[in-house]
Amino acid sequence: MSDRLLDLRNVQKRFGSVVALDGVSLQVASGSVHALLGENGAGKTTLMRIAYGLTRPDLGRIGVGGTWRHFRSPMDALDAGVGMVQQHFSLVPSMTVAENVVLGTRLPFRPTVIRRIVLELAEKTGLPVDPDARVETLSIGAQQRVEILKVLVRDARVLILDEPTAVLPPQQGRELLSWVRNFCTEDRAVVLITHKLEDVRAVADAVTVLRGGRCILTGKTYDIPDDTLVGAMLGAPLEPVERVVRHAPSGPPILQAKDVTLRDARGIVRIRNADFSVRAGEVIGVAGVEGSGHRELLRAVAGRLKPFSGSLVLPQRVGYVPEDRQNDALLASLDLRQNLLLHDAARRRGFLRWKSVERSAESLISAFDIHASGPRAAVDTLSGGNQQRFVLAREISDRPDLLVAANPTRGLDVRAAQYVLELLGKLRDDGMAVIIQSNDIDELLETCDRILVTHAGRVREARPDRDLIGRIMVGAA
Amino acid sequence: MSAILRGHASTVRFLFGGSVVVVLLGVLAGTIALGGFPVGASLQSLVRGSIGSPDALLSATFVRASPLLLTGLAVALSFRSGVFNIGAEGQLVVGAAAATFVAIRAEQWLDVWTVPVELAAAAAAGIAWAIVPAWLRRRFRVPEVITTIMMNFLATFLVSYLVRGPLQEPTRVYPQSSTFAELARIPTVHPMVRLHWGFVLAILLALFLGWALRHTASGFRIIAVGVNPRAAEETGRIDVDRLTWLVFLGSGALAGLAGGIEVGGVTYALYDNVSPGYGYTAIAVALLAGLQPVMVVPSAILFGGLSAGAAAMQRDVAVPAGFVEFVQALIILALLAAPHIVAFMQQRLARLQAVEQQGAR
Amino acid sequence: METLLTAFLASTVRTATPLALASLGEGMCERAGVINLGMEGTIIAGAFGAAVGAAAGGTVLGIAGGALAGLVVSCVFGIFAIWLRTDQIITGTAVTLGALGLTSALYRVTFGTQGVALSIPTLAPLPLPLLSSIPVLGSAFFSQPVLTYIAFVLAPVCSWFLFRTRTGLIWRATGESPEAVRSAGGRPVQVQLLATSLSGLLGGLAGACLVLSQVGTFADGMSAGRGFIAIAVVALGRWHPSGILAASLLFGGSSALQYLFQAAATAIPYQVFLALPYMMALVVLTSGRRGHAAPAALGGKLENSLS
């Protein structure tokens, strides 16, 4: 097993009654980029958290570079040469880049020395950072570079990246993948967790597909056609997506923005002098890279962010599906009835009628095929996909004039994503206006009637042209 | 058993609390025995002093439970919405001071209205004392845990000044106020007992709060904000800052009222240590109640009874009351640890099951 | 005038010493993200341990007994609040309640039910050569019991540790983001347990200081809220060891002023002086980064630990 830099054998892990991993094995050869492909909940992240010592397996063995290891913490994994960049970064926001990079290492701790070490490492690895900058002031891309440096400063030979391109705009995502390609020399290996086929095609030598906590398929990337990979991910071939018929919006304008300027919580101007309008019965897509202002734009049209200046006329009733469902849309420890009440909780007056709330919750559960034991089930007993379905169901349950949804398919498996997109189309046909933001341009092109692109605080409407939209996003058009 | 575990969490906690109390009474007995005191006589005295007779119940236990009940509600309400108001002690003390001020200065012309005005003043003073940390939290995001502790000290200093200055009794010998006139005293429920109507008021407030949290939109907002302030703001469009501000002040009002009831119904005067730490014990009371207002009633009575019984034990058998405080602390710790221990055991079980299944294959 | 000033300074330093010890402990603990409201309990336990130790075997054993008792109490806090991840604030309150009760009970059991005033050996001032003969300042600062010097040396040592060592970096990072530390291979649970133990040790010394160099006997609740005052001191000192030492002196000075003015019978009520440092702390809290300088993860639970 000398060429197997990372060797996981028969790994098992249960969380309560849920089997997350059911005897998974994974061999990563040195010098290779190994993609770990699978839908959400397939067990990719859990497997890699085990390889990094963050989660303890119930059973199974971990080998690195030919020796069996027992990881009690990430410290052991790092000592063995395994490093991981998690999807949600784990940096200390108030500390500098240099302090974050050397945190937990055995490097001599003197400001000038660590500064030099970080600069040299950044130079050597081609990951530019400012060692003196406070992490909280950095962009997502720069924070990701700091995370990678944190691992490389320990001489990690196995680099695990969990969905690294998901948080990046397309251009930066491609740059990162080509960096990964260059990084992966003879005595190193990269494990790339992803659910994007294009990432696999772009960079991976080998691929392993997980589904439902089991290893379904593993092999060289060039041996395996796309259909086989998708089939392995989904378990059954996917029905072809029905192309949405674009039609001219006929309804009256229900949202009008004139000269709108938005500031974020820190007072920084995020959107400048935006003008646009939305009619009933159309789906508007919003595309933009991290920090371009799309986030603020979305919150503003949902009525969650008051414009700093200009006029923004919104319809009476707005449904809103925020990007971070777990934290922004749900009361995890409370039941579905209570979470239903959360919708427009501020406007409720007087007494609560629990009986009627319970009936509404029941009808949502059956109408949207939400897998829950009933209206009194706590939200955190539902799976991620069902939580998302519930949020969407709740937000459209009172037939709003406008639905605003951030990344409505993020975190959903392909089937659930398709369901959501079809539903949005149906709502549009019923005369609802829909605004969705997505990191996936193809998804927007497939679903939307018109597309707004944000770049550096400007809002522009773009023709439905993939190339053009991409260029506006990065400021090249 | 697992059905119970999956059931209503707070009910489970209270059931569990019951068994913990039983176990710890055993611990108390052991501690007393180790201290070289007669266990039987000590426990007998503990029971006699707390629930052994109608008089013990009505003149000791319930009387001591009253301020605990109100401060316990103050703590439960604020913790429920994510406000860590541990300043109930200070709010109680200034409430007592304000009530004393009304009772002594305005009793002549308020006549029969003295008691209501007295209690209103106490609640208002509690609010005033909560405003400072509430404002610092809202405006500067300063953790209220730190500021409420400081406000507790400031309240103590204020009372220390008042009982040696403006509110000192006329002879100016003792650091305390003069005794309340009859009109300024909260009437007792019966001439033979010390229990006053403040206790009944406190119970009514607990029932009202319990109902309001469950059945009104405002109550739901408080719970939602406590569970997840971000979701409450982003999805529920609740003005979290404003809501927690109001809850903070409401909590202050309840604690202030406790002070008013204590001076108006029990001590009939203001002095330095008018509260033997009711505001701190209240945290334990609220916790034992699982932060449920209605459950605060039995919880406060339990702690009131323990404290009354401890006093009797010290009087009769010379067993230091400190033992009972110690056992109270153990009750809190056991309650705190219980869910974590259960979770830990479940994890262990899962790992064992995995190993067993592997062996069976 | 000069003797008055010397007396004032000496009284300031004397009052500040136990406060500084406890506050440095609390400050180090909060820097690791743990708010230890059990500090009051560790102080009273330290006082009791010191009384028992000193009665049995002199002042050295007294100091050791105080430190040990404080350590034990803080370990109880640590096991619950950090290891079992119970709520820090409630756990701290419970630990304080328990320690106050237990020491009061044990005192009566050990030294008689009437609570006979017990007399134990105390620490004599230890004048430092040369330094103690500086006019005015000398006898105030350099003719003090050994625990005072420990407190004064400890502040720069803590500063150096926090800001100039690798472990100090992990310590501070634990207070800001335990998750980041864990992911970087650190052990936030261990760091926090260590921080809690240190705070207990120093709290115990603070209690020993009360008994051995101030009062000379044990009394129920003689910690008199110093554990809670420490929280205010740490805030006023902006979570920085040297700031904490300065804040302790300020608190000590204000209570020394109180006696001065009480004696002088001025129109200003002496409680104003007692209240002054608290008010200053409240004002100080309104300025600085994020509105305050408290560690970001202060009081939070360590979620998601190794499962």
Side-chain angles (χ1 to χ4, degrees), chain B:
Chain B
M1 186 63 196
S2 62
I4 297 176
L5 283 177
R6 267 186 269 113
H8 207 247
S10 54
T11 321
V12 174
R13 212 179 310 164
F14 205 82
L15 281 178
F16 183 83
S19 51
V20 163
V21 169
V22 172
V23 170
L24 286 172
L25 274 180
V27 174
L28 178 61
T31 322
I32 292 169
L34 278 180
F37 298 97
V39 176
S42 304
L43 289 184
Q44 219 174 18
S45 163
L46 178 80
V47 171
R48 202 176 334 111
S50 54
I51 52 171
S53 64
D55 188 55
L57 208 55
L58 295 176
S59 292
T61 295
F62 287 175
V63 169
R64 283 170 196 256
S66 305
L68 288 178
L69 184 41
L70 284 167
T71 48
L73 285 176
V75 172
L77 182 67
S78 73
F79 279 29
R80 223 29 210 282
S81 73
V83 171
F84 282 92
N85 173 21
I86 50 176
E89 179 75 6
Q91 291 144 14
L92 178 149
V93 166
V94 292
T100 307
F101 189 86
V102 171
I104 287 175
R105 291 293 165 81
E107 179 255 335
Q108 291 89 336
W109 36 279
L110 280 173
D111 201 48
V112 291
W113 291 102
T114 309
V115 169
V117 174
E118 196 177 301
L119 295 183
I127 292 176
W129 221 244
I131 277 183
V132 177
W135 180 73
L136 288 171
R137 176 189 151 108
R138 190 175 179 174
R139 174 75 180 73
F140 299 101
R141 309 271 159 217
V142 181
E144 65 276 14
V145 172
I146 296 172
T147 48
T148 45
I149 286 180
M150 294 183 200
M151 294 306 289
N152 287 348
F153 281 97
L154 290 175
T156 315
F157 299 144
L158 178 66
V159 167
S160 160
Y161 162 68
L162 289 176
V163 297
R164 288 171 183 79
L167 289 181
Q168 193 170 16
E169 44 86 34
T171 66
R172 303 222 156 247
V173 176
Y174 305 104
Q176 64 177 60
S177 73
S178 39
T179 310
F180 289 17
E182 202 56 49
L183 263 180
R185 297 180 184 188
I186 301 170
T188 54
V189 294
H190 186 272
M192 296 300 288
V193 296
R194 290 176 59 211
L195 185 64
H196 50 85
W197 284 102
F199 180 69
V200 179
L201 176 65
I203 287 185
L204 291 177
L205 274 171
L207 294 177
F208 169 75
L209 279 174
W211 172 83
L213 275 186
R214 177 128 187 84
H215 292 288
T216 69
S218 316
F220 175 73
R221 281 192 283 272
I222 290 176
I223 290 170
V225 167
V227 169
N228 183 348
R230 274 182 61 180
E233 181 117 45
E234 204 55 15
T235 297
R237 298 195 182 191
I238 298 168
D239 187 340
V240 173
D241 278 355
R242 183 166 168 273
L243 187 97
T244 48
W245 160 266
L246 290 176
V247 170
F248 209 148
L249 301 195
S251 169
L254 285 167
L257 191 59
I261 282 180
E262 187 66 6
V263 287
V266 182
T267 67
Y268 302 139
L270 184 69
Y271 45 87
D272 266 330
N273 295 318
V274 70
S275 163
Y278 287 132
Y280 296 110
T281 313
I283 298 172
V285 170
L287 182 77
L288 180 66
L291 304 185
Q292 306 264 35
V294 178
M295 287 303 190
V296 169
V297 177
S299 176
I301 291 173
L302 176 75
F303 274 85
L306 274 175
S307 133
M313 215 162 68
Q314 183 158 354
R315 204 171 46 235
D316 302 347
V317 212
V319 173
F323 280 130
V324 176
E325 277 171 41
F326 177 61
V327 170
Q328 282 178 359
L330 290 184
I331 295 176
I332 305 172
L333 289 178
L335 280 171
L336 281 172
H340 302 273
I341 290 172
V342 169
F344 181 74
M345 290 194 312
Q346 279 172 344
Q347 270 176 26
R348 268 296 150 96
L349 208 66
R351 209 164 289 166
L352 276 178
Q353 277 173 354
V355 175
E356 273 168 22
Q357 279 173 4
Q358 186 69 13
R361 272 184 198 171

Side-chain angles (χ1 to χ4, degrees), chain A residues 10 12 14 58-59 299 302 304 320 327-330 333 338 341-342 345-348 350-352 354 394, chain B residues 211 214-217 220-221 223-224 227-228 230-232 234-238 351 353-354 357-358 361:
Chain A
N10 190 27
Q12 271 192 52
R14 295 164 59 128
D58 296 332
L59 268 182
R299 291 190 67 224
R304 264 64 179 182
Y320 179 46
N327 288 314
D328 290 346
L330 291 168
S333 59
Q338 290 162 313
L341 277 179
L342 184 62
R347 290 190 194 162
R348 290 179 201 278
F351 310 129
L352 303 175
W354 286 106
R394 175 184 70 192
Chain B
W211 172 83
R214 177 128 187 84
H215 292 288
T216 69
F220 175 73
R221 281 192 283 272
I223 290 170
V227 169
N228 183 348
R230 274 182 61 180
E234 204 55 15
T235 297
R237 298 195 182 191
I238 298 168
R351 209 164 289 166
Q353 277 173 354
Q357 279 173 4
Q358 186 69 13
R361 272 184 198 171

